[in-house]
Amino acid sequence: MTKSLNLSRLLIPIVLLVISNYSSFAQDTIQSNVAEHFQTSEFDVAIFPENSLEILPGKGRFTPTHDEIKSAEKSLATQLRELNSEKLNQHDSPVIDKNLKKYKRQYFGFIDGKGNKVLFINCFWRKEKEESLLWLKERIRVLDGGSYFWNVKFNVAKMQLFDLDVNGEA
């Protein structure tokens, strides 16, 4: 009886320690994908941390800074029109460079194969009375949707947009 009592005295703290550590790990994992909401009069964006759960290309990740976001936003305002000159998938939906303020954006940072810092900018049409905070927790993805959903990349050092991808129209 004494041995089983001693064993239970030893097991209880161990079980409590394991449960406590698991709970802390689960909380960190859940919070790691929550983006910072960064909004100005010109844009409304979500900045995802380097440890977010989004799958990105490249060999590393980083958390974009406010200055990097501001640079990318300037480039969207000045370079997007030329990059979007073919107006792909924008026949029955908005022309993206003419409606930039109507899109919310999600920013993810990654290091490409050449060591360049790149921002992946995921864009989607802002709904007037949108109350969902899902866009601050995970990347918004849809099939089709035309130019209501698009993304582009931004080379931070070159301050250049590239690789524009506008969703198809069903």
Side-chain angles (χ1 to χ4, degrees), residues 109-170:
F110 70 92
I111 309 297
D112 72 9
K114 296 178 181 178
N116 297 305
K117 287 177 83 175
V118 176
L119 298 178
F120 176 81
I121 310 168
N122 189 52
C123 307
F124 60 96
W125 193 258
R126 177 192 321 238
K127 294 179 181 170
E128 290 303 317
K129 294 190 178 187
E130 181 180 341
E131 295 183 25
S132 170
L133 296 179
L134 182 65
W135 77 289
L136 295 172
K137 296 177 183 174
E138 63 185 54
R139 179 176 161 196
I140 301 298
R141 299 174 202 242
V142 297
L143 297 176
D144 300 322
S147 63
Y148 289 100
F149 304 92
W150 56 279
N151 60 67
V152 67
K153 294 180 181 109
F154 176 74
N155 182 307
V156 174
K158 294 180 182 178
M159 295 186 63
Q160 184 174 16
L161 293 175
F162 66 101
D163 200 15
L164 175 63
D165 182 30
V166 179
N167 276 27
E169 297 174 331

Side-chain angles (χ1 to χ4, degrees), residues 30-48:
I30 290 167
Q31 289 181 351
S32 70
N33 209 40
V34 175
E36 173 192 352
H37 188 192
F38 180 36
Q39 186 174 16
T40 71
S41 60
E42 298 298 312
F43 56 81
D44 190 7
V45 305
I47 305 171
F48 282 81

Side-chain angles (χ1 to χ4, degrees), residues 46-112:
I47 305 171
F48 282 81
E50 68 181 289
N51 62 345
S52 75
L53 303 176
E54 181 62 31
I55 297 171
L56 296 170
K59 58 182 187 176
R61 313 245 329 231
F62 67 95
T63 302
T65 66
H66 285 202
D67 287 340
E68 290 167 339
I69 299 299
K70 289 175 185 175
S71 293
E73 288 292 325
K74 274 186 190 172
S75 293
L76 281 168
T78 59
Q79 298 173 22
L80 185 59
R81 184 179 195 173
E82 183 178 339
L83 191 60
N84 188 39
S85 62
E86 294 181 29
K87 310 285 189 262
L88 293 175
N89 300 327
Q90 296 166 64
H91 307 292
D92 296 324
S93 56
V95 175
I96 61 176
D97 57 84
K98 292 182 180 179
N99 291 284
L100 191 57
K101 283 190 176 187
K102 294 183 179 178
Y103 292 91
K104 285 191 176 186
R105 297 183 267 291
Q106 297 173 305
Y107 279 84
F108 301 87
F110 70 92
I111 309 297
D112 72 9

